[in-house]
DNA sequence: ATTGCTATTATGTCTGCACATATTCCAAAG
DNA sequence: CTTTGGAATATGTGCAGACATAATAGCAAT
């Protein structure tokens, strides 16, 4: 028995086999290190990994216990849309529908948490092999943009941002909604169809960067392994 | 400059400030360790963390480079439904709609990847303060169940499983769909409404455990910080 | 030009030790 | 009885050094 992965596997096996039931305290790192004949650091690595996965709960002095209600943590990759389209073997394209300065609506301001005056409003239709793939509605803080503006008809705002703007934090959420008239028309689907919607918000340390809402064409699926 | 978190922060700052542009090779661990005056292991910890977050790409011998297309990785917590309902300050309830042995339909078999004959088919309506919260359609491998069967009218199959069955792997996916007649009726919504659907599949090392599909009531949102 | 071996090199992991830090527990003081 | 103030202890992090492993690059032979 050597290697932190082997130890992680063994510990996981004991949890799964109920040798260490849910909610119980497991032996200390030192004890496990001795049992497995490895350094404590190796046990630490294995247990930390399991703690991050939500299988264990660790507290200094209190010890390590098996999580009572294992909250499954799934990690999803949020790719750039172009990469997503190309990964399906289709040809990516984009059409800029609008790009102008305007006062963002209240819901957007609320999500951004700060009013920076007029923002750049961009609407883009992302295409996969010519068919509508996703409709993007974005509000961008103009303070972070250079003059002249980047050519958002050539490069998607998202890709320009990841390449040129540093940012600190953000959040993302997913929901199912009926397609609005505009979205339905742009994607060529029936109005009111169930569409998958992604909303993302990102901030630089000091100011909001962008709020974006993506309406995916029907059939879109977000998946990951547990 | 000491502590792996400080180093992670500094490296991140250099990436964000474009001191190390996207796609470029950054100095080796040994070089950074010398520059920051720490042990190589400390640099390794910091860089590994960033690699897991998708900011860096590392390969043996090839070195470490700034990810060209930073794929944002978001981690979602998949809670037990009861916990989710109670976290909203509502009262959880469940209604068992059906529970019988049957041959699973082909799509379910396809997802499970293996035919184990008849499976236990369970339909449950999860309630939040009496209102429909989610409709669960589940197929369970009877081989993993005890006799007599657990009382799935008292405890949800999901909770029983996390408490009694060990499992190895699984996957999960999310999509937007129109509500089927049955789902609409159970949740008390208009037929065809856009609903958020979660599909999960789990396997023990040797055999499939369960396939489950959750139709969430409209308004459901899955969110996380980036 | 292509294939196959080898030396090189950067990261991955381990060890054994040390100190830091958070938290529990118990005992003494009020 | 409550509060306060230490020990005691388990995890978190650090260091220096070592070997393992993967992947590259260069060279040689076909």
């Amino acid at each position: 028995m050597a290697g932190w992965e082997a130890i992680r596997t063994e510990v996981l096996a004991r949890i799964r086999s109920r040798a260490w039931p849910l909610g119980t305290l497991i032996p200390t790192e030192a004890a496990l290190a001795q049992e497995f004949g490895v350094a404590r650091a190796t046990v630490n690595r294995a247990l930390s990994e399991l703690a991050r996965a939500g299988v264990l709960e660790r507290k200094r002095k209190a010890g390590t216990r098996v999580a009572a209600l294992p909250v499954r943590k799934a990690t999803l990759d949020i790719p750039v849309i172009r990469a997503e389209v190309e990964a399906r073997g289709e040809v990516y394209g984009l059409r800029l529908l609008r790009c102008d300065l305007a006062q963002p609506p209240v819901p957007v301001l609320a999500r951004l948490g700060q009013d920076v005056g007029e923002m750049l409003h961009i609407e883009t239709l992302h295409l996969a092999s010519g068919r509508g793939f996703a409709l993007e509605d974005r509000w961008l803080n103009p303070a972070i943009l250079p003059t002249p503006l980047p050519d958002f008809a050539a490069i998607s705002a998202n890709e320009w941002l990841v390449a040129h703007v540093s940012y600190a934090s953000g959040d993302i959420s997913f929901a199912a909604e009926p397609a609005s008239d505009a979205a339905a028309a742009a994607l060529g689907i029936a109005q009111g169809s169930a569409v998958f919607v992604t909303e993302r918000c990102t901030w630089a340390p000091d100011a909001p960067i962008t709020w974006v809402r993506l309406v995916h064409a029907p059939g879109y699926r977000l998946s990951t392994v547990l």
Side-chain angles (χ1 to χ4, degrees), chain A:
Chain A
M1 171 80 54
W4 67 269
E5 293 193 287
I7 291 178
R8 181 190 55 183
T9 303
E10 170 61 20
V11 169
L12 201 50
R14 293 190 185 181
I15 294 170
R16 298 219 209 271
S17 70
R18 313 291 182 211
W20 292 339
L22 297 188
T24 57
L25 217 51
I26 74 172
T28 69
E29 293 186 348
L32 290 174
Q34 186 171 13
E35 178 190 343
F36 294 134
V38 300
R40 187 172 74 89
T42 307
V43 174
N44 181 287
R45 173 87 192 256
L47 297 188
S48 301
E49 208 77 18
L50 288 171
R52 195 186 5 239
V55 175
L56 294 177
E57 285 167 1
R58 325 192 67 197
K59 270 202 324 213
R60 276 173 170 150
K61 158 70 181 175
T64 302
R65 58 180 61 249
V66 182
L69 258 204
V71 174
R72 311 284 324 167
K73 287 192 202 317
T75 53
L76 4 133
D77 295 347
I78 319 279
V80 187
I81 292 193
R82 181 169 60 77
E84 205 168 358
V85 168
E86 288 169 353
R88 301 184 175 203
E90 307 205 66
V91 179
Y92 175 74
L94 77 96
R95 210 155 70 213
L96 188 62
L97 303 181
R98 76 183 291 169
C99 180
D100 48 37
L101 277 173
Q103 185 65 31
V106 172
V108 173
L109 288 179
R111 298 282 300 126
L112 287 170
Q114 192 183 138
D115 190 349
V116 294
E118 291 202 315
M119 297 180 78
L120 193 65
H121 186 199
I122 301 179
E123 269 184 37
T124 311
L125 180 62
H126 298 268
L127 305 166
S129 303
R131 289 188 313 282
F133 181 80
L135 178 66
E136 172 179 321
D137 182 18
R138 180 184 293 269
W139 293 85
L140 248 170
N141 185 348
I144 58 158
L145 295 172
T147 37
L149 287 179
D151 179 12
F152 289 126
I155 181 175
S156 84
N158 188 24
E159 283 189 70
W160 186 88
L161 283 171
V162 302
H164 297 93
V165 176
S166 53
Y167 79 90
S169 62
D171 58 46
I172 190 166
S173 73
F174 309 95
E177 297 183 8
S180 67
D181 295 5
L187 292 171
I189 58 177
Q191 186 240 317
S193 312
V195 288
F196 195 87
V197 175
T198 301
E199 266 185 40
R200 219 180 321 172
C201 223
T202 63
W203 294 268
D206 43 335
I209 298 176
T210 189
W211 174 92
V212 59
R213 175 188 165 86
L214 280 168
V215 178
H216 298 271
Y220 183 80
R221 250 189 138 65
L222 187 69
S223 32
T224 186
V225 296
L226 283 175

